[in-house]
Amino acid sequence: MLGRLNHVALAVPELTAAVAAYRDTLGAEVTEPQALPEHGVTVVFVNVGNTKIELLEPLGEGSPIAAFLAKNPSGGMHHLCYEVDDILAARDKLKAAGARVLGDGNPKIGAHGKPVLFLHPKDFFGTLIELEQS
Ligand code: CO
């Protein structure tokens, strides 16, 4: 079921500072910021060849990363995103195994224009997992 690591996501308090650090200090290729109001975040992707790093900044009231940043004010690793061939089949298999799917359990369209789901971190050793249809 589990495919490639699509990205590692870091929540950051200030996207412009994080972009400058990755682009200017680390010399990486960084995409333009993309606002995702449905997910409550603004994102950029850092291309590191074998995977991507997603930098997330809160967007709007009640952003799902606001509580994380309150606990980790300088930022931190927020989730891992794995690709799956069939997101609905993966969801059904995971739910049957007792894993908790966040939200209403239906995929939303993610930053790459593909359906995504999130799995409860308590079911996966303290790490929030995003699944993206490949
Ligand atoms: Co992500």
Side-chain angles (χ1 to χ4, degrees):
M1 175 167 76
L2 208 57
R4 292 172 68 243
L5 175 67
N6 184 277
H7 59 268
V8 176
L10 310 181
V12 302
E14 249 192 84
L15 196 57
T16 48
V19 167
Y22 270 85
R23 188 189 53 211
D24 305 333
T25 310
L26 294 170
E29 182 192 309
V30 182
T31 63
E32 287 300 312
Q34 188 183 355
L36 299 175
E38 200 190 347
H39 294 275
V41 292
T42 302
V43 306
V44 300
F45 286 92
V46 181
N47 188 353
V48 291
N50 60 337
T51 189
K52 296 182 279 289
I53 308 300
E54 177 179 46
L55 303 176
L56 301 166
E57 179 186 62
L59 174 64
E61 294 293 307
S63 169
I65 66 168
F68 180 91
L69 281 167
K71 277 186 242 158
N72 304 275
S74 54
M77 205 206 84
H78 186 261
H79 65 267
L80 299 176
C81 177
Y82 298 111
E83 297 176 5
V84 292
D85 287 337
D86 182 337
I87 200 162
L88 294 177
R91 175 197 64 188
D92 293 346
K93 190 172 175 185
L94 285 157
K95 282 175 81 171
R100 287 167 284 181
V101 176
L102 300 188
D104 65 5
N106 292 312
K108 286 184 186 175
I109 297 302
H112 301 116
K114 295 175 175 173
V116 301
L117 282 175
F118 287 89
L119 305 176
H120 201 296
K122 288 198 174 138
D123 296 333
F124 293 97
F125 316 101
T127 304
L128 177 63
I129 292 180
E130 178 178 16
L131 297 178
E132 182 178 290
Q133 174 97 35
S134 59

